[in-house]
Amino acid sequence: CGLDEPSRKHLFAPFYSGRQAGRGLGFGLCKAWRIVTLHRGQIAVAEPATGGLEFLLQLPANPPHF
């Protein structure tokens, strides 16, 4: 169904939830964002005209060595 503006603003925040209090621990995307950025990648979200959400993950061909 897509996102409202407050949810979009806090999409990658670790403890934000669009649900009422006590009904969730966030979207869980903060972990995905952290993993992707640690590997020097990017994560983006789009709302297609057909509805829902699309996430695009871009990772480098040669990831950094830890």
Side-chain angles (χ1 to χ4, degrees):
C1 63
L3 289 174
D4 57 5
E5 188 57 35
S7 295
R8 178 181 280 283
K9 184 178 178 182
H10 299 285
L11 189 60
F12 296 105
F15 300 108
Y16 178 80
S17 177
R19 301 179 188 184
Q20 56 184 248
R23 301 243 340 149
L25 299 174
F27 293 111
L29 292 171
C30 63
K31 290 180 184 176
W33 179 85
R34 182 73 173 145
I35 292 167
V36 170
T37 56
L38 282 174
H39 288 86
R40 297 189 184 143
Q42 296 178 337
I43 184 169
V45 62
E47 293 186 68
T50 56
L53 297 173
E54 291 180 351
F55 289 91
L56 175 66
L57 300 176
Q58 294 178 312
L59 297 170
N62 296 315
H65 300 346
F66 295 102

